Amino acid sequence: MALLGVLALLLLVAAATDIAARTIANRLNLAIALLAPAYWAATGLPLWPGVALQVAAAALLFALLIGAFAMGWMGAATSSCSARSRSGCRATRCCKC
């Protein structure tokens, strides 16, 4: 139960920092990722199909988000858009600021 609490706390910290600064520290992501196998073992999740499905879903989501980043739909460009809008830019598209 303590492991679940730690994971929940780490996820809340990730959400809060993402909302506040639009970034999540790599160390925080790494800690969450490294605790996943411990959580799987603690809950008795079988390697097949349980762990395999979770790893496959994570890989699919990662691939989709790489595509979104490459298209400029998220990432550094959107962060600069947010900074521009906070600075008073009223353009409807970020590239016009």
Side-chain angles (χ1 to χ4, degrees), residues 6 10 12 15 18 20 23 26 29-30 40-41 43 51 60-61 67 73 75:
V6 168
L10 290 174
L12 286 172
D18 189 28
T23 58
N26 288 335
N29 285 325
L30 181 63
W40 295 332
T43 59
V51 172
L60 177 64
L61 182 62
W73 297 341

Side-chain angles (χ1 to χ4, degrees), residues 36-66:
Y39 176 75
W40 295 332
T43 59
L45 191 67
L47 287 177
W48 185 261
V51 172
L53 285 174
Q54 289 192 9
V55 170
L60 177 64
L61 182 62
F62 185 69
L64 289 172
L65 293 177
I66 285 175

Side-chain angles (χ1 to χ4, degrees), residues 1 27 35 57 60 68 74 81 88 91 96:
M1 198 56 132
R27 289 181 181 176
L35 286 174
L60 177 64
M74 60 176 274
C81 283
K96 294 181 182 178

Side-chain angles (χ1 to χ4, degrees), residues 10-25:
L10 290 174
L11 290 170
L12 286 172
V13 169
T17 58
D18 189 28
I19 290 169
R22 296 252 171 189
T23 58
I24 302 172

Side-chain angles (χ1 to χ4, degrees), residues 80-94 96-97:
S80 63
C81 283
S82 297
R84 288 178 185 159
S85 66
R86 285 192 298 267
S87 68
C89 178
R90 298 288 182 237
T92 57
R93 293 186 48 100
C94 292
K96 294 181 182 178
C97 294

